[in-house]
Amino acid sequence: MNAVPQYDPLTFGETAFKLRTFRQQVLGNNLANSDTPGFKARDIRFADVLKAQLEGVSPSNAIGLSITHSGHIQGKAPQDDPRLLYRIPNQPSMDGNTVDGDFELSEFTKNSVFTESALNMLGSTIRSRMSAITGQAS
């Protein structure tokens, strides 16, 4: 039995690239708010979120609203993204901000490299499939 789950390379590459881009935005937001009093740094557990999305488990980020009249439209109230976690600070600041600029910058840089790698992998998968479809070497 194979312990490693097998995913379609195109689906895996697309999902990984989207999540890396999302994480880049989160880390950039942390860096932009490093001097904002009371700001709480956020991040995601990339491997856990990637696995959940590849297995089709989508996070629910809305609360169902009750209908009190037959003329009301069913709706959802948006909530915070459930994939986002709060970062535990190494050294809390006096103003309540939990952003460690050096740590965030290193994570941002590391994620940039992984984002480029995910994009290259996705491009390679697309090129190989196009080569198989057209019968020409890429």
Side-chain angles (χ1 to χ4, degrees), residues 80-103:
D80 198 14
D81 192 332
R83 299 174 293 181
L84 287 175
L85 305 173
Y86 288 99
R87 189 180 310 284
I88 299 171
N90 293 329
Q91 183 174 356
S93 65
M94 295 296 287
D95 66 359
N97 188 308
T98 61
V99 177
D100 177 358
D102 293 333
F103 181 78

Side-chain angles (χ1 to χ4, degrees), residues 19-30 108 111:
L19 276 177
R20 285 287 173 197
T21 304
F22 174 71
R23 184 167 188 242
Q24 199 74 354
Q25 292 171 349
V26 171
L27 294 172
N29 188 42
N30 288 348
F108 187 86
N111 194 63

Side-chain angles (χ1 to χ4, degrees), residues 7-18:
Y7 301 107
D8 175 47
L10 191 60
T11 304
F12 182 87
E14 177 189 8
T15 306
F17 179 67
K18 285 180 179 178

Side-chain angles (χ1 to χ4, degrees), residues 12-70:
F12 182 87
E14 177 189 8
T15 306
F17 179 67
K18 285 180 179 178
L19 276 177
R20 285 287 173 197
T21 304
F22 174 71
R23 184 167 188 242
Q24 199 74 354
Q25 292 171 349
V26 171
L27 294 172
N29 188 42
N30 288 348
L31 282 169
N33 288 290
S34 62
D35 292 328
T36 304
F39 182 80
K40 307 298 182 204
R42 306 293 298 265
D43 202 355
I44 63 171
R45 285 193 185 116
F46 181 80
D48 295 342
V49 175
L50 178 64
K51 181 180 177 190
Q53 288 201 344
L54 288 172
E55 291 174 352
V57 179
S58 60
S60 174
N61 63 346
I63 300 173
L65 301 176
S66 61
I67 298 174
T68 58
H69 188 272
S70 62

